Amino acid sequence: MNDHLIVIGGGLAGSEAAWQAAKKGVKVRLYEMRPLKMTEAHASSNLGELVCSNSLRSNDPQSAPGLLKRELSIAGSLIMEAAEATTVPAGSALAVDRTLFAEYITRKLSENRHITIIREEIRTLPDAISIIATGPLTSQAMTDSLSGLIGEGYLYFYDAIAPIIDADSIDRNKVYALSRYGKGGDDYLNCPMSKEEYEQFYQAILDSEKVNPKGFEEKKVFDGCMPIEVMATRGMDTMRYGPMKPVGLPDPKTGKEPYAVVQLRTENRETSAYNMVGFQTRLTWPEQKRVFSMIPGLEHADFLRYVSIHRNTFINSPALLNKDLSFKQRPDLFLAGQITGVEGYIESTAMGLIAGLNAALIMQGKELLAVPPFSAHGALIGHITESESKDFQPSNINFGLFPASKSLVRIRDKKLKRAKTAELALEVWKKYVSQVHAL
C-alpha cells in the first residue's frame, strides 16, 4: 500500500485531504467505516456528512470565518465547492442543504480516478504515509491505537446536536421572518419571548431532566457548542446574551426588540425543516418536547430529530504535532480535522487541506512549504502547535489567533484593521497556493 496515500476518515477533513492529494496526482485510498460501523451521531453513509449544524458560519469576507472560506476556495477546496453548489438561505452566513452537500462530496470523490473509497474500519495506525482524519467520533479501536502513540496527552469533551423541526408544524402567526440587522433578508424565523415567557422557559430548563453520559460533569465542554442548560446555570441572562439574543431582531408587530428570541434556520432547500440555532442540550427527549414547546410558535412543533449527546475527541496537539501536521514521534503520520484541536466545519476542512497537500508532497519526495503564519490557515496551525500544552483548548478561527503585524499595530479602527488583516492574509495565501501547486 506504500504506493498509495492512506486517508482514514471520510468526514470533511478526510474528504478534503484526499481531494487535495489527488489533485497533486497522488493515488489515495480513502477509508470510511460507515455504513459497516455507524457512529452515535451520523445518519447516513455519505462522505462529508454534517452532524451538528448545517451552517458554515459567516460569509463576510472581512470576518475570520469568511477569510478562511476565501482561502479554501482559492486553494480549490472540494468542501467549499460543494457548499457553494448546495446553499440554502441563511442571511449573511453560509448554510447548506446537508443531504445534497454530502451527496455532492461523495459523488465527486467517487468519480475521481486517483481516489479509491474503501468501506472498512481501520483499527490500528498504518505503517505507511497516512492521514488520520477520524474526527470527533473516532472509534474506540482507533482511539486506543492513537493513545498508544501519544500516551497521556489525550483529551476529549462532549458535544450535542441541535434539534430539527417540521416546517409545517411551526405557528406562523407567532413567528416572524428576519435576519439579524436585516442582513441577508428574511432567512431566519424568529420566535419572540416576553420577559415572563423567558423567565418561565429559563426555570423549566433548570428543572428539566437531563441525560449525563458517564463522567460527563468531569469532562470539558467547548464553549462554542455549550448545551443550553449549562448556559442557564451560569445566570438568568446568559442565554439572552447567547443564542437567544434579541438584538437586531425587532418584531414587525410591535416595531421593538422582544425580550428574547429563539431563531430557526432552514435545514434544506425545500424549507421543509428548520433547526433551532444554538440549542444543543442534554435534556431527555420527552423533556425537549415539553420545554421547547413553551417557545412561542413551537407549541405544536413536530420534532424530526431531537438532540443527542456525543463524544468529541481531540489531542493535545501543541505537545504532539509538527507545523506540517505530522506527529513528532512519526513524521510519516499526519493528523487532520477537528481531532487536531480546531473547532468547526471550515476549520476542520482547512486542516484536511494542509495535511493532504503536505502528505502528497512527502509521497512525491518533494520539499514541504511552510504555511504562511499570517493567513487564516497559518493562524489555526499556530494555535494547535504553539499554544501552552498544559491548558490547551480547541478554537474556532478568529483574528485573535493571528500573529502581531507591525503594519497593523497602529490601526485603531476595528473594522479597518480586520479589512487590512484579510487583505494581507489573502496576499500571502495566494502566493503560498501558487508555490505549492507549482511543485
Side-chain angles (χ1 to χ4, degrees), residues 305-330:
R305 185 187 72 187
Y306 288 107
V307 179
S308 62
I309 287 282
H310 60 270
R311 178 172 48 85
N312 195 339
T313 309
F314 68 100
I315 71 165
N316 192 343
S317 290
L320 299 165
L321 293 185
N322 296 310
K323 286 187 178 296
D324 61 4
L325 299 183
S326 66
F327 279 94
K328 293 177 180 178
Q329 304 99 311
R330 273 195 60 182

Side-chain angles (χ1 to χ4, degrees), residues 216-286:
F216 180 91
E217 297 300 343
E218 288 74 42
K219 306 307 178 187
K220 299 174 185 270
V221 181
F222 177 62
D223 284 349
C225 295
M226 183 176 294
I228 196 76
E229 67 279 356
V230 176
M231 291 187 201
T233 63
R234 297 188 176 188
M236 181 174 286
D237 289 326
T238 303
M239 295 186 298
R240 291 182 61 242
Y241 289 98
M244 298 182 70
K245 180 170 63 177
V247 178
L249 295 169
D251 188 336
K253 292 181 180 179
T254 64
K256 298 179 180 179
E257 292 176 352
Y259 190 75
V261 166
V262 174
Q263 286 201 296
L264 310 177
R265 179 176 57 231
T266 185
E267 177 68 18
N268 53 29
R269 285 187 166 178
E270 295 79 17
T271 64
S272 62
Y274 283 80
N275 64 67
M276 297 173 65
V277 178
F279 263 69
Q280 296 85 3
T281 185
R282 294 174 293 149
L283 270 64
T284 63
W285 288 4

Side-chain angles (χ1 to χ4, degrees), residues 115-135:
I115 300 173
T116 301
I117 300 170
I118 303 171
R119 301 289 182 164
E120 177 184 330
E121 181 189 2
I122 301 298
R123 300 173 63 83
T124 59
L125 299 176
D127 186 20
I129 298 174
S130 308
I131 298 173
I132 309 302
T134 46

